[in-house]
Amino acid sequence: MMTAALIIVGAGHAGGRAALTLREEGYSGRLILIGDEPHVPYERPPLSKGLLQGSVDLAGCSLCDSARLAELGIEHIAGNPVRQLDPPQHRLQLADGQWLSYAGLLLATGGRARRLPQEQANVLYLRTHDEALALKSALRPGARLVIVGGGFIGLEVAATARGLGCEVTVLEAGPRLAGRVLAPVISEALLKLHRQHGVDVRLNVALESIHAEAVQLVDGQWLPCDLVVVGIGMQPNIELAVAAGLEVGQGIRVDTHLRTGVPDIYAAGDVCEFRLGGEYQRQETWRNAEAQGRHAALNMLGRDEPFEALPGFWSDQYDWGLQTVGVITPLTVSRVLPDAGLLLFYLDADHRLQGACGWGPGNSVAKDVKLCERLISARIALNPASLADPHVSLKHLLRG
Ligand SMILES: Cc1cc2nc3c(=O)[nH]c(=O)nc-3n(C[C@H](O)[C@H](O)[C@H](O)COP(=O)(O)OP(=O)(O)OC[C@H]3O[C@@H](n4cnc5c(N)ncnc54)[C@H](O)[C@@H]3O)c2cc1C
């Protein structure tokens, strides 16, 4: 019988970050990182951007290489997923039948692309590195691509595919792009940008069926195409937790310390459902995977601190960038920037900043969004007229 280890299920971003943090923080016991993909932990944002374009490869998105994992004594089990958990016995079983005992367990199983009921050869999804490679090889100049879903994955693929010379149509069922998470004014800006780049964006449309060389819409229209990319969200990998009797909502439920109802089991990343502003929710962002992976590791080592990091995400499309931080509130102030970019400020009733969203060429809004993060933490009441005025520097507001 080997000594019980700390085990991380899911060798993605959150799981990989947790494993590296455990070693950085001095944990010297047995540490096992179990993944079902054949790769070392990697970051997914480049999958719809640099990796599809060919400017980044897997090594360029990886958190570390296998030599580093070995050097750190992190046992990486790849391509042999966990089949079941046995919390009362503090053990789990791998797909090959092997049982492993744990002293502490982190569930960082992320999610998979939500699929259409109909499987077909010309339909591709994008969640993993291998799916990105399959898509990359299909994005040839002149290829006619229909993208189902006008959320971030669909829009980033559209931008990259246009850059590679594909003909692109985006089908969005709702009335605006990325409508679940963005303000209408930003959805409008995205729509304009994609149309300027020659993407045929169709809103309020529903897909009837997919065929070998066309898709049919509910209104009877046929759109000829060579390839369909489906970006209709992701499905959290909660099945292990459900079968083990852990509390699950839209994701694996944790308390403020990222601990599930079972004291030696934690969850982090896309699969983790935690309270933010009183409501249970999941975050599907790089920033959350990074912060929660690290935080769960620290708490597994006994740090026992509440998770309080601000949420945030970014998206790059063509040569424009979007960045958000904090939370959206009904009280919004907007600032139009001289380069046609936009900053949105979300205030509470006392005019303290709760969240912000920046949209601009390249990385131009990064500095302002960073300052917004500091304004959120400072909790000072702000004058909406000053926020709206592009001549008033946010640094100045920060100084009070
Ligand atoms: C194409 C794409 C582009 C993105 N772009 C951005 C962006 O621009 N900005 C941003 O903020 N966020 C972006 N994201 C989101 C961000 O990448 C995710 O939020 C992040 O990867 C979540 O990390 P995670 O570790 O929770 O999950 P994952 O990275 O999904 O890792 C979970 C791992 O666990 C494995 N697993 C599942 N079940 C088991 C099992 N039973 N046994 C073993 N292993 C298992 C999974 O296969 C996977 O490898 C993007 C995501 C995608 C897919």
Side-chain angles (χ1 to χ4, degrees), residues 16 32 37 111 123 177 196 246 284 292 301 316 333 363 376:
I32 306 174
E37 294 183 68
V123 177
L177 296 175
Q196 274 168 357
L246 300 179
E284 297 173 14
Q292 286 194 336
L301 293 178
D316 298 326
V333 174
N363 209 18
I376 295 170

Side-chain angles (χ1 to χ4, degrees), residues 242-302:
V242 171
L246 300 179
E247 193 185 349
V248 172
Q250 295 303 309
I252 303 172
R253 283 218 167 146
V254 294
D255 63 14
T256 50
H257 292 68
L258 303 183
R259 202 186 293 119
T260 67
V262 178
D264 58 1
I265 305 183
Y266 292 75
D270 282 12
V271 79
C272 173
E273 191 180 60
F274 62 107
R275 275 193 204 272
L276 184 66
E279 303 264 310
Y280 272 114
Q281 59 170 280
R282 285 188 308 102
Q283 295 273 313
E284 297 173 14
T285 66
W286 182 98
R287 186 176 165 121
N288 183 61
E290 175 74 17
Q292 286 194 336
R294 186 173 159 73
H295 200 93
L298 293 175
N299 281 352
M300 287 171 88
L301 293 178

